[in-house]
Amino acid sequence: DEQLRRRVTPSGMSLLGLLKHLTSVEDGRCCGTFSRPVLAAPFDPADPDADWRPEPHESTAALLDAYARTRV
């Protein structure tokens, strides 16, 4: 989990952050397009890049599970 949270680019992106962002995008596009339930988007108007950063309480397992639900 620690390695997945490590920021590896000057922008501060991490692999777990990329997974969180992909989940948000695919959830909106795939689930919304095919009339499936959409997960709660992590979008915050005050912080539009919030979906790129995993919060301390968001585990790798929880983010992987959310991503898997967008792909069913």
mmCIF file with all atom_site columns, all heavy atoms in Angstrom, residues 21-47:
data_model
loop_
_atom_site.group_PDB
_atom_site.id
_atom_site.type_symbol
_atom_site.label_atom_id
_atom_site.label_alt_id
_atom_site.label_comp_id
_atom_site.label_asym_id
_atom_site.label_entity_id
_atom_site.label_seq_id
_atom_site.pdbx_PDB_ins_code
_atom_site.Cartn_x
_atom_site.Cartn_y
_atom_site.Cartn_z
_atom_site.occupancy
_atom_site.B_iso_or_equiv
_atom_site.pdbx_formal_charge
_atom_site.auth_seq_id
_atom_site.auth_comp_id
_atom_site.auth_asym_id
_atom_site.auth_atom_id
_atom_site.pdbx_PDB_model_num
ATOM 1   N N   . HIS A 1 21 ? -8.512  7.888  -10.076 1.00 0.00 ? 21 HIS A N   1
ATOM 2   C CA  . HIS A 1 21 ? -8.964  8.728  -11.182 1.00 0.00 ? 21 HIS A CA  1
ATOM 3   C C   . HIS A 1 21 ? -9.630  7.883  -12.276 1.00 0.00 ? 21 HIS A C   1
ATOM 4   O O   . HIS A 1 21 ? -10.698 8.244  -12.775 1.00 0.00 ? 21 HIS A O   1
ATOM 5   C CB  . HIS A 1 21 ? -7.781  9.512  -11.762 1.00 0.00 ? 21 HIS A CB  1
ATOM 6   C CG  . HIS A 1 21 ? -8.130  10.308 -12.965 1.00 0.00 ? 21 HIS A CG  1
ATOM 7   N ND1 . HIS A 1 21 ? -8.873  11.467 -12.888 1.00 0.00 ? 21 HIS A ND1 1
ATOM 8   C CD2 . HIS A 1 21 ? -7.862  10.115 -14.277 1.00 0.00 ? 21 HIS A CD2 1
ATOM 9   C CE1 . HIS A 1 21 ? -9.037  11.948 -14.105 1.00 0.00 ? 21 HIS A CE1 1
ATOM 10  N NE2 . HIS A 1 21 ? -8.437  11.150 -14.962 1.00 0.00 ? 21 HIS A NE2 1
ATOM 11  N N   . LEU A 1 22 ? -9.010  6.774  -12.649 1.00 0.00 ? 22 LEU A N   1
ATOM 12  C CA  . LEU A 1 22 ? -9.594  5.901  -13.669 1.00 0.00 ? 22 LEU A CA  1
ATOM 13  C C   . LEU A 1 22 ? -10.962 5.370  -13.234 1.00 0.00 ? 22 LEU A C   1
ATOM 14  O O   . LEU A 1 22 ? -11.881 5.263  -14.043 1.00 0.00 ? 22 LEU A O   1
ATOM 15  C CB  . LEU A 1 22 ? -8.662  4.726  -13.972 1.00 0.00 ? 22 LEU A CB  1
ATOM 16  C CG  . LEU A 1 22 ? -7.432  5.051  -14.807 1.00 0.00 ? 22 LEU A CG  1
ATOM 17  C CD1 . LEU A 1 22 ? -6.517  3.836  -14.879 1.00 0.00 ? 22 LEU A CD1 1
ATOM 18  C CD2 . LEU A 1 22 ? -7.826  5.515  -16.181 1.00 0.00 ? 22 LEU A CD2 1
ATOM 19  N N   . THR A 1 23 ? -11.084 5.056  -11.966 1.00 0.00 ? 23 THR A N   1
ATOM 20  C CA  . THR A 1 23 ? -12.362 4.589  -11.441 1.00 0.00 ? 23 THR A CA  1
ATOM 21  C C   . THR A 1 23 ? -13.425 5.660  -11.630 1.00 0.00 ? 23 THR A C   1
ATOM 22  O O   . THR A 1 23 ? -14.530 5.379  -12.099 1.00 0.00 ? 23 THR A O   1
ATOM 23  C CB  . THR A 1 23 ? -12.239 4.215  -9.950  1.00 0.00 ? 23 THR A CB  1
ATOM 24  O OG1 . THR A 1 23 ? -11.277 3.176  -9.820  1.00 0.00 ? 23 THR A OG1 1
ATOM 25  C CG2 . THR A 1 23 ? -13.568 3.773  -9.369  1.00 0.00 ? 23 THR A CG2 1
ATOM 26  N N   . SER A 1 24 ? -13.079 6.885  -11.305 1.00 0.00 ? 24 SER A N   1
ATOM 27  C CA  . SER A 1 24 ? -14.019 7.992  -11.440 1.00 0.00 ? 24 SER A CA  1
ATOM 28  C C   . SER A 1 24 ? -14.431 8.200  -12.895 1.00 0.00 ? 24 SER A C   1
ATOM 29  O O   . SER A 1 24 ? -15.617 8.331  -13.209 1.00 0.00 ? 24 SER A O   1
ATOM 30  C CB  . SER A 1 24 ? -13.377 9.267  -10.886 1.00 0.00 ? 24 SER A CB  1
ATOM 31  O OG  . SER A 1 24 ? -14.188 10.376 -11.123 1.00 0.00 ? 24 SER A OG  1
ATOM 32  N N   . VAL A 1 25 ? -13.467 8.200  -13.789 1.00 0.00 ? 25 VAL A N   1
ATOM 33  C CA  . VAL A 1 25 ? -13.751 8.435  -15.207 1.00 0.00 ? 25 VAL A CA  1
ATOM 34  C C   . VAL A 1 25 ? -14.555 7.285  -15.810 1.00 0.00 ? 25 VAL A C   1
ATOM 35  O O   . VAL A 1 25 ? -15.573 7.502  -16.469 1.00 0.00 ? 25 VAL A O   1
ATOM 36  C CB  . VAL A 1 25 ? -12.434 8.651  -15.993 1.00 0.00 ? 25 VAL A CB  1
ATOM 37  C CG1 . VAL A 1 25 ? -12.689 8.670  -17.485 1.00 0.00 ? 25 VAL A CG1 1
ATOM 38  C CG2 . VAL A 1 25 ? -11.768 9.938  -15.549 1.00 0.00 ? 25 VAL A CG2 1
ATOM 39  N N   . GLU A 1 26 ? -14.110 6.063  -15.584 1.00 0.00 ? 26 GLU A N   1
ATOM 40  C CA  . GLU A 1 26 ? -14.810 4.915  -16.166 1.00 0.00 ? 26 GLU A CA  1
ATOM 41  C C   . GLU A 1 26 ? -16.196 4.732  -15.558 1.00 0.00 ? 26 GLU A C   1
ATOM 42  O O   . GLU A 1 26 ? -17.127 4.319  -16.241 1.00 0.00 ? 26 GLU A O   1
ATOM 43  C CB  . GLU A 1 26 ? -13.972 3.648  -16.034 1.00 0.00 ? 26 GLU A CB  1
ATOM 44  C CG  . GLU A 1 26 ? -12.756 3.706  -16.932 1.00 0.00 ? 26 GLU A CG  1
ATOM 45  C CD  . GLU A 1 26 ? -12.045 2.392  -17.058 1.00 0.00 ? 26 GLU A CD  1
ATOM 46  O OE1 . GLU A 1 26 ? -12.657 1.348  -16.781 1.00 0.00 ? 26 GLU A OE1 1
ATOM 47  O OE2 . GLU A 1 26 ? -10.872 2.410  -17.455 1.00 0.00 ? 26 GLU A OE2 1
ATOM 48  N N   . ASP A 1 27 ? -16.333 5.065  -14.293 1.00 0.00 ? 27 ASP A N   1
ATOM 49  C CA  . ASP A 1 27 ? -17.638 4.973  -13.657 1.00 0.00 ? 27 ASP A CA  1
ATOM 50  C C   . ASP A 1 27 ? -18.608 5.939  -14.335 1.00 0.00 ? 27 ASP A C   1
ATOM 51  O O   . ASP A 1 27 ? -19.717 5.568  -14.689 1.00 0.00 ? 27 ASP A O   1
ATOM 52  C CB  . ASP A 1 27 ? -17.521 5.297  -12.173 1.00 0.00 ? 27 ASP A CB  1
ATOM 53  C CG  . ASP A 1 27 ? -18.832 5.173  -11.438 1.00 0.00 ? 27 ASP A CG  1
ATOM 54  O OD1 . ASP A 1 27 ? -19.475 4.117  -11.561 1.00 0.00 ? 27 ASP A OD1 1
ATOM 55  O OD2 . ASP A 1 27 ? -19.212 6.130  -10.751 1.00 0.00 ? 27 ASP A OD2 1
ATOM 56  N N   . GLY A 1 28 ? -18.187 7.159  -14.543 1.00 0.00 ? 28 GLY A N   1
ATOM 57  C CA  . GLY A 1 28 ? -19.045 8.142  -15.180 1.00 0.00 ? 28 GLY A CA  1
ATOM 58  C C   . GLY A 1 28 ? -19.369 7.794  -16.621 1.00 0.00 ? 28 GLY A C   1
ATOM 59  O O   . GLY A 1 28 ? -20.512 7.913  -17.067 1.00 0.00 ? 28 GLY A O   1
ATOM 60  N N   . ARG A 1 29 ? -18.362 7.342  -17.354 1.00 0.00 ? 29 ARG A N   1
ATOM 61  C CA  . ARG A 1 29 ? -18.567 7.036  -18.771 1.00 0.00 ? 29 ARG A CA  1
ATOM 62  C C   . ARG A 1 29 ? -19.308 5.709  -18.977 1.00 0.00 ? 29 ARG A C   1
ATOM 63  O O   . ARG A 1 29 ? -20.306 5.666  -19.669 1.00 0.00 ? 29 ARG A O   1
ATOM 64  C CB  . ARG A 1 29 ? -17.229 6.963  -19.499 1.00 0.00 ? 29 ARG A CB  1
ATOM 65  C CG  . ARG A 1 29 ? -16.453 8.232  -19.504 1.00 0.00 ? 29 ARG A CG  1
ATOM 66  C CD  . ARG A 1 29 ? -16.803 9.032  -20.704 1.00 0.00 ? 29 ARG A CD  1
ATOM 67  N NE  . ARG A 1 29 ? -15.932 10.197 -20.729 1.00 0.00 ? 29 ARG A NE  1
ATOM 68  C CZ  . ARG A 1 29 ? -16.292 11.328 -21.250 1.00 0.00 ? 29 ARG A CZ  1
ATOM 69  N NH1 . ARG A 1 29 ? -17.476 11.457 -21.794 1.00 0.00 ? 29 ARG A NH1 1
ATOM 70  N NH2 . ARG A 1 29 ? -15.480 12.348 -21.235 1.00 0.00 ? 29 ARG A NH2 1
ATOM 71  N N   . CYS A 1 30 ? -18.801 4.651  -18.398 1.00 0.00 ? 30 CYS A N   1
ATOM 72  C CA  . CYS A 1 30 ? -19.378 3.322  -18.642 1.00 0.00 ? 30 CYS A CA  1
ATOM 73  C C   . CYS A 1 30 ? -20.710 3.136  -17.933 1.00 0.00 ? 30 CYS A C   1
ATOM 74  O O   . CYS A 1 30 ? -21.707 2.778  -18.558 1.00 0.00 ? 30 CYS A O   1
ATOM 75  C CB  . CYS A 1 30 ? -18.406 2.232  -18.208 1.00 0.00 ? 30 CYS A CB  1
ATOM 76  S SG  . CYS A 1 30 ? -16.880 2.217  -19.169 1.00 0.00 ? 30 CYS A SG  1
ATOM 77  N N   . CYS A 1 31 ? -20.739 3.374  -16.646 1.00 0.00 ? 31 CYS A N   1
ATOM 78  C CA  . CYS A 1 31 ? -21.971 3.133  -15.895 1.00 0.00 ? 31 CYS A CA  1
ATOM 79  C C   . CYS A 1 31 ? -23.045 4.129  -16.309 1.00 0.00 ? 31 CYS A C   1
ATOM 80  O O   . CYS A 1 31 ? -24.195 3.754  -16.517 1.00 0.00 ? 31 CYS A O   1
ATOM 81  C CB  . CYS A 1 31 ? -21.702 3.208  -14.400 1.00 0.00 ? 31 CYS A CB  1
ATOM 82  S SG  . CYS A 1 31 ? -20.642 1.878  -13.801 1.00 0.00 ? 31 CYS A SG  1
ATOM 83  N N   . GLY A 1 32 ? -22.663 5.384  -16.455 1.00 0.00 ? 32 GLY A N   1
ATOM 84  C CA  . GLY A 1 32 ? -23.630 6.386  -16.866 1.00 0.00 ? 32 GLY A CA  1
ATOM 85  C C   . GLY A 1 32 ? -24.180 6.117  -18.256 1.00 0.00 ? 32 GLY A C   1
ATOM 86  O O   . GLY A 1 32 ? -25.384 6.246  -18.512 1.00 0.00 ? 32 GLY A O   1
ATOM 87  N N   . THR A 1 33 ? -23.331 5.700  -19.169 1.00 0.00 ? 33 THR A N   1
ATOM 88  C CA  . THR A 1 33 ? -23.746 5.423  -20.541 1.00 0.00 ? 33 THR A CA  1
ATOM 89  C C   . THR A 1 33 ? -24.683 4.233  -20.631 1.00 0.00 ? 33 THR A C   1
ATOM 90  O O   . THR A 1 33 ? -25.635 4.241  -21.410 1.00 0.00 ? 33 THR A O   1
ATOM 91  C CB  . THR A 1 33 ? -22.508 5.168  -21.431 1.00 0.00 ? 33 THR A CB  1
ATOM 92  O OG1 . THR A 1 33 ? -21.680 6.331  -21.402 1.00 0.00 ? 33 THR A OG1 1
ATOM 93  C CG2 . THR A 1 33 ? -22.895 4.874  -22.860 1.00 0.00 ? 33 THR A CG2 1
ATOM 94  N N   . PHE A 1 34 ? -24.418 3.205  -19.850 1.00 0.00 ? 34 PHE A N   1
ATOM 95  C CA  . PHE A 1 34 ? -25.206 1.976  -19.930 1.00 0.00 ? 34 PHE A CA  1
ATOM 96  C C   . PHE A 1 34 ? -26.269 1.873  -18.836 1.00 0.00 ? 34 PHE A C   1
ATOM 97  O O   . PHE A 1 34 ? -26.749 0.792  -18.529 1.00 0.00 ? 34 PHE A O   1
ATOM 98  C CB  . PHE A 1 34 ? -24.283 0.760  -19.915 1.00 0.00 ? 34 PHE A CB  1
ATOM 99  C CG  . PHE A 1 34 ? -23.353 0.734  -21.092 1.00 0.00 ? 34 PHE A CG  1
ATOM 100 C CD1 . PHE A 1 34 ? -22.007 0.982  -20.938 1.00 0.00 ? 34 PHE A CD1 1
ATOM 101 C CD2 . PHE A 1 34 ? -23.854 0.504  -22.367 1.00 0.00 ? 34 PHE A CD2 1
ATOM 102 C CE1 . PHE A 1 34 ? -21.147 0.976  -22.036 1.00 0.00 ? 34 PHE A CE1 1
ATOM 103 C CE2 . PHE A 1 34 ? -23.010 0.504  -23.469 1.00 0.00 ? 34 PHE A CE2 1
ATOM 104 C CZ  . PHE A 1 34 ? -21.660 0.741  -23.303 1.00 0.00 ? 34 PHE A CZ  1
ATOM 105 N N   . SER A 1 35 ? -26.626 3.004  -18.262 1.00 0.00 ? 35 SER A N   1
ATOM 106 C CA  . SER A 1 35 ? -27.702 3.094  -17.263 1.00 0.00 ? 35 SER A CA  1
ATOM 107 C C   . SER A 1 35 ? -27.514 2.164  -16.077 1.00 0.00 ? 35 SER A C   1
ATOM 108 O O   . SER A 1 35 ? -28.471 1.571  -15.578 1.00 0.00 ? 35 SER A O   1
ATOM 109 C CB  . SER A 1 35 ? -29.059 2.832  -17.922 1.00 0.00 ? 35 SER A CB  1
ATOM 110 O OG  . SER A 1 35 ? -29.286 3.778  -18.927 1.00 0.00 ? 35 SER A OG  1
ATOM 111 N N   . ARG A 1 36 ? -26.273 2.032  -15.641 1.00 0.00 ? 36 ARG A N   1
ATOM 112 C CA  . ARG A 1 36 ? -26.000 1.256  -14.435 1.00 0.00 ? 36 ARG A CA  1
ATOM 113 C C   . ARG A 1 36 ? -25.796 2.226  -13.282 1.00 0.00 ? 36 ARG A C   1
ATOM 114 O O   . ARG A 1 36 ? -25.479 3.396  -13.501 1.00 0.00 ? 36 ARG A O   1
ATOM 115 C CB  . ARG A 1 36 ? -24.755 0.400  -14.637 1.00 0.00 ? 36 ARG A CB  1
ATOM 116 C CG  . ARG A 1 36 ? -24.997 -0.686 -15.661 1.00 0.00 ? 36 ARG A CG  1
ATOM 117 C CD  . ARG A 1 36 ? -23.886 -1.693 -15.808 1.00 0.00 ? 36 ARG A CD  1
ATOM 118 N NE  . ARG A 1 36 ? -22.711 -1.508 -15.028 1.00 0.00 ? 36 ARG A NE  1
ATOM 119 C CZ  . ARG A 1 36 ? -21.468 -1.647 -15.523 1.00 0.00 ? 36 ARG A CZ  1
ATOM 120 N NH1 . ARG A 1 36 ? -21.289 -1.944 -16.791 1.00 0.00 ? 36 ARG A NH1 1
ATOM 121 N NH2 . ARG A 1 36 ? -20.443 -1.503 -14.754 1.00 0.00 ? 36 ARG A NH2 1
ATOM 122 N N   . PRO A 1 37 ? -25.965 1.784  -12.041 1.00 0.00 ? 37 PRO A N   1
ATOM 123 C CA  . PRO A 1 37 ? -25.746 2.690  -10.911 1.00 0.00 ? 37 PRO A CA  1
ATOM 124 C C   . PRO A 1 37 ? -24.335 3.269  -10.938 1.00 0.00 ? 37 PRO A C   1
ATOM 125 O O   . PRO A 1 37 ? -23.363 2.556  -11.187 1.00 0.00 ? 37 PRO A O   1
ATOM 126 C CB  . PRO A 1 37 ? -25.933 1.794  -9.686  1.00 0.00 ? 37 PRO A CB  1
ATOM 127 C CG  . PRO A 1 37 ? -26.714 0.627  -10.175 1.00 0.00 ? 37 PRO A CG  1
ATOM 128 C CD  . PRO A 1 37 ? -26.349 0.452  -11.624 1.00 0.00 ? 37 PRO A CD  1
ATOM 129 N N   . VAL A 1 38 ? -24.250 4.549  -10.711 1.00 0.00 ? 38 VAL A N   1
ATOM 130 C CA  . VAL A 1 38 ? -22.964 5.254  -10.717 1.00 0.00 ? 38 VAL A CA  1
ATOM 131 C C   . VAL A 1 38 ? -22.497 5.416  -9.281  1.00 0.00 ? 38 VAL A C   1
ATOM 132 O O   . VAL A 1 38 ? -23.279 5.766  -8.401  1.00 0.00 ? 38 VAL A O   1
ATOM 133 C CB  . VAL A 1 38 ? -23.113 6.627  -11.407 1.00 0.00 ? 38 VAL A CB  1
ATOM 134 C CG1 . VAL A 1 38 ? -21.817 7.404  -11.377 1.00 0.00 ? 38 VAL A CG1 1
ATOM 135 C CG2 . VAL A 1 38 ? -23.593 6.441  -12.841 1.00 0.00 ? 38 VAL A CG2 1
ATOM 136 N N   . LEU A 1 39 ? -21.216 5.162  -9.039  1.00 0.00 ? 39 LEU A N   1
ATOM 137 C CA  . LEU A 1 39 ? -20.640 5.348  -7.713  1.00 0.00 ? 39 LEU A CA  1
ATOM 138 C C   . LEU A 1 39 ? -20.598 6.838  -7.380  1.00 0.00 ? 39 LEU A C   1
ATOM 139 O O   . LEU A 1 39 ? -20.640 7.686  -8.263  1.00 0.00 ? 39 LEU A O   1
ATOM 140 C CB  . LEU A 1 39 ? -19.203 4.806  -7.679  1.00 0.00 ? 39 LEU A CB  1
ATOM 141 C CG  . LEU A 1 39 ? -19.009 3.339  -8.013  1.00 0.00 ? 39 LEU A CG  1
ATOM 142 C CD1 . LEU A 1 39 ? -17.526 3.030  -8.112  1.00 0.00 ? 39 LEU A CD1 1
ATOM 143 C CD2 . LEU A 1 39 ? -19.663 2.471  -6.969  1.00 0.00 ? 39 LEU A CD2 1
ATOM 144 N N   . ALA A 1 40 ? -20.505 7.156  -6.116  1.00 0.00 ? 40 ALA A N   1
ATOM 145 C CA  . ALA A 1 40 ? -20.369 8.548  -5.717  1.00 0.00 ? 40 ALA A CA  1
ATOM 146 C C   . ALA A 1 40 ? -19.029 9.080  -6.214  1.00 0.00 ? 40 ALA A C   1
ATOM 147 O O   . ALA A 1 40 ? -17.982 8.520  -5.925  1.00 0.00 ? 40 ALA A O   1
ATOM 148 C CB  . ALA A 1 40 ? -20.458 8.674  -4.202  1.00 0.00 ? 40 ALA A CB  1
ATOM 149 N N   . ALA A 1 41 ? -19.074 10.136 -6.986  1.00 0.00 ? 41 ALA A N   1
ATOM 150 C CA  . ALA A 1 41 ? -17.850 10.717 -7.546  1.00 0.00 ? 41 ALA A CA  1
ATOM 151 C C   . ALA A 1 41 ? -17.058 11.427 -6.460  1.00 0.00 ? 41 ALA A C   1
ATOM 152 O O   . ALA A 1 41 ? -17.636 12.108 -5.614  1.00 0.00 ? 41 ALA A O   1
ATOM 153 C CB  . ALA A 1 41 ? -18.203 11.689 -8.663  1.00 0.00 ? 41 ALA A CB  1
ATOM 154 N N   . PRO A 1 42 ? -15.729 11.265 -6.478  1.00 0.00 ? 42 PRO A N   1
ATOM 155 C CA  . PRO A 1 42 ? -14.902 11.932 -5.474  1.00 0.00 ? 42 PRO A CA  1
ATOM 156 C C   . PRO A 1 42 ? -14.622 13.387 -5.835  1.00 0.00 ? 42 PRO A C   1
ATOM 157 O O   . PRO A 1 42 ? -13.686 13.980 -5.363  1.00 0.00 ? 42 PRO A O   1
ATOM 158 C CB  . PRO A 1 42 ? -13.612 11.104 -5.504  1.00 0.00 ? 42 PRO A CB  1
ATOM 159 C CG  . PRO A 1 42 ? -13.525 10.633 -6.913  1.00 0.00 ? 42 PRO A CG  1
ATOM 160 C CD  . PRO A 1 42 ? -14.952 10.408 -7.355  1.00 0.00 ? 42 PRO A CD  1
ATOM 161 N N   . PHE A 1 43 ? -15.448 13.991 -6.707  1.00 0.00 ? 43 PHE A N   1
ATOM 162 C CA  . PHE A 1 43 ? -15.184 15.346 -7.176  1.00 0.00 ? 43 PHE A CA  1
ATOM 163 C C   . PHE A 1 43 ? -15.550 16.378 -6.121  1.00 0.00 ? 43 PHE A C   1
ATOM 164 O O   . PHE A 1 43 ? -16.619 16.341 -5.532  1.00 0.00 ? 43 PHE A O   1
ATOM 165 C CB  . PHE A 1 43 ? -15.954 15.626 -8.467  1.00 0.00 ? 43 PHE A CB  1
ATOM 166 C CG  . PHE A 1 43 ? -15.645 16.973 -9.045  1.00 0.00 ? 43 PHE A CG  1
ATOM 167 C CD1 . PHE A 1 43 ? -14.444 17.197 -9.692  1.00 0.00 ? 43 PHE A CD1 1
ATOM 168 C CD2 . PHE A 1 43 ? -16.537 18.012 -8.921  1.00 0.00 ? 43 PHE A CD2 1
ATOM 169 C CE1 . PHE A 1 43 ? -14.143 18.443 -10.214 1.00 0.00 ? 43 PHE A CE1 1
ATOM 170 C CE2 . PHE A 1 43 ? -16.244 19.261 -9.436  1.00 0.00 ? 43 PHE A CE2 1
ATOM 171 C CZ  . PHE A 1 43 ? -15.047 19.475 -10.080 1.00 0.00 ? 43 PHE A CZ  1
ATOM 172 N N   . ASP A 1 44 ? -14.647 17.300 -5.908  1.00 0.00 ? 44 ASP A N   1
ATOM 173 C CA  . ASP A 1 44 ? -14.861 18.406 -4.979  1.00 0.00 ? 44 ASP A CA  1
ATOM 174 C C   . ASP A 1 44 ? -14.595 19.688 -5.760  1.00 0.00 ? 44 ASP A C   1
ATOM 175 O O   . ASP A 1 44 ? -13.470 19.917 -6.193  1.00 0.00 ? 44 ASP A O   1
ATOM 176 C CB  . ASP A 1 44 ? -13.901 18.269 -3.800  1.00 0.00 ? 44 ASP A CB  1
ATOM 177 C CG  . ASP A 1 44 ? -14.000 19.415 -2.815  1.00 0.00 ? 44 ASP A CG  1
ATOM 178 O OD1 . ASP A 1 44 ? -14.835 20.326 -3.013  1.00 0.00 ? 44 ASP A OD1 1
ATOM 179 O OD2 . ASP A 1 44 ? -13.232 19.403 -1.842  1.00 0.00 ? 44 ASP A OD2 1
ATOM 180 N N   . PRO A 1 45 ? -15.603 20.537 -5.972  1.00 0.00 ? 45 PRO A N   1
ATOM 181 C CA  . PRO A 1 45 ? -15.392 21.760 -6.749  1.00 0.00 ? 45 PRO A CA  1
ATOM 182 C C   . PRO A 1 45 ? -14.269 22.632 -6.202  1.00 0.00 ? 45 PRO A C   1
ATOM 183 O O   . PRO A 1 45 ? -13.599 23.337 -6.955  1.00 0.00 ? 45 PRO A O   1
ATOM 184 C CB  . PRO A 1 45 ? -16.731 22.490 -6.667  1.00 0.00 ? 45 PRO A CB  1
ATOM 185 C CG  . PRO A 1 45 ? -17.724 21.471 -6.255  1.00 0.00 ? 45 PRO A CG  1
ATOM 186 C CD  . PRO A 1 45 ? -16.966 20.404 -5.508  1.00 0.00 ? 45 PRO A CD  1
ATOM 187 N N   . ALA A 1 46 ? -14.046 22.567 -4.904  1.00 0.00 ? 46 ALA A N   1
ATOM 188 C CA  . ALA A 1 46 ? -12.965 23.354 -4.305  1.00 0.00 ? 46 ALA A CA  1
ATOM 189 C C   . ALA A 1 46 ? -11.594 22.743 -4.584  1.00 0.00 ? 46 ALA A C   1
ATOM 190 O O   . ALA A 1 46 ? -10.572 23.409 -4.459  1.00 0.00 ? 46 ALA A O   1
ATOM 191 C CB  . ALA A 1 46 ? -13.185 23.479 -2.807  1.00 0.00 ? 46 ALA A CB  1
ATOM 192 N N   . ASP A 1 47 ? -11.580 21.465 -4.960  1.00 0.00 ? 47 ASP A N   1
ATOM 193 C CA  . ASP A 1 47 ? -10.320 20.763 -5.236  1.00 0.00 ? 47 ASP A CA  1
ATOM 194 C C   . ASP A 1 47 ? -10.536 19.813 -6.417  1.00 0.00 ? 47 ASP A C   1
ATOM 195 O O   . ASP A 1 47 ? -10.745 18.613 -6.236  1.00 0.00 ? 47 ASP A O   1
ATOM 196 C CB  . ASP A 1 47 ? -9.875  19.985 -3.999  1.00 0.00 ? 47 ASP A CB  1
ATOM 197 C CG  . ASP A 1 47 ? -8.520  19.320 -4.177  1.00 0.00 ? 47 ASP A CG  1
ATOM 198 O OD1 . ASP A 1 47 ? -7.848  19.550 -5.204  1.00 0.00 ? 47 ASP A OD1 1
ATOM 199 O OD2 . ASP A 1 47 ? -8.135  18.553 -3.281  1.00 0.00 ? 47 ASP A OD2 1
#
